[in-house]
Amino acid sequence: MAHTPEPAGPPKKDRLQHGLRDMVLSLLALLVIIAALLLFNRSCSFSPGGPEIDPSSAPTVDVRPQFEQVARTVDFSLRLPAVPARWRANSTTTNRAGADSVVVRAGWLTPDRFVGLSQSRAAAPELVELETGARAEPTGSVEVDGTQWTVYPGVRAERAWAAALGGTTTLITGTGTEDEFRTLATAVQAAQPLPRS
């Protein structure tokens, strides 16, 4: 009895023979799935012009009690400036500044920008490097009510002003306008050091 061979099916396709068309179709399927997930997840947004900061979503902090508490523990005079009412404090921190000092910081959101105040016993070049992330040479100086502030380049669009106030190195940083920097400089110069006991 003669053996009849079974009909052969279609030839098996080797994975290496998958073409560009198959890869494109797979990617399109993945993109459809990702788009569906993003559509149903309202916490994601597309912003082709870069991130936008909603000032109302930033935290608000009360600087006074934190500065009053820290003033009793640091070895330099700490000042709390009286800033304009429309500025909103959104951060305060205290960290090490070198081997033998700390830096006390506060940040405010101005109507369109932000400014920060750092105070420490560290020397100005050390504090500038710590706060801006780069060792930089001064680019000039400005005078505010008889006090000379040394101007340093900041990070990206920021600037930095440093001055010695009563043995404390005081640094203003941020994206604020020159008028806002002058406002903060005037306020910190006029502030009395907080009690240390």
Side-chain angles (χ1 to χ4, degrees):
M1 180 171 172
H3 178 60
T4 308
E6 293 185 15
K12 290 186 180 179
K13 197 170 183 184
D14 187 2
R15 282 193 170 277
L16 293 175
Q17 294 177 348
H18 284 274
L20 179 62
R21 179 180 164 272
D22 293 329
M23 286 189 284
V24 169
L25 289 175
S26 298
L27 283 174
L28 286 175
L30 284 172
L31 289 175
V32 168
I33 293 169
I34 291 170
L37 289 172
L38 293 176
L39 180 66
F40 293 113
N41 185 353
R42 300 284 182 191
S43 66
C44 294
S45 65
F46 177 66
S47 179
E52 293 181 11
I53 298 172
D54 178 10
S56 64
S57 68
T60 299
V61 299
D62 189 356
V63 178
R64 176 168 292 282
Q66 300 207 29
F67 266 37
E68 287 175 345
Q69 181 180 359
V70 171
R72 294 190 290 269
T73 65
V74 295
D75 58 353
F76 55 88
S77 298
L78 187 63
R79 297 168 187 243
L80 176 61
V83 298
R86 65 187 185 281
W87 291 16
R88 186 158 57 97
N90 73 328
S91 67
T92 63
T93 59
T94 302
N95 294 102
R96 300 255 5 124
D100 59 352
S101 191
V102 297
V103 57
V104 181
R105 302 181 190 95
W108 291 270
L109 294 174
T110 65
D112 298 311
R113 301 165 188 263
F114 69 92
V115 291
L117 174 67
S118 303
Q119 300 175 76
S120 178
R121 191 166 57 89
E126 294 173 37
L127 188 59
V128 169
E129 183 176 3
L130 178 68
E131 299 299 274
T132 66
R135 183 175 294 276
E137 294 298 319
T139 59
S141 66
V142 293
E143 184 178 324
V144 179
D145 293 340
T147 299
Q148 284 294 125
W149 290 78
T150 304
V151 177
Y152 291 88
V155 179
R156 294 179 293 277
E158 297 181 22
R159 67 179 93 200
W161 290 8
L165 301 177
T168 300
T169 302
T170 306
L171 182 69
I172 299 174
T173 57
T175 59
T177 63
E178 181 163 342
D179 284 344
E180 289 170 335
F181 268 54
R182 285 184 175 276
T183 297
L184 183 52
T186 301
V188 75
Q189 288 170 198
Q192 293 298 313
L194 293 169
R196 295 174 64 182
S197 59

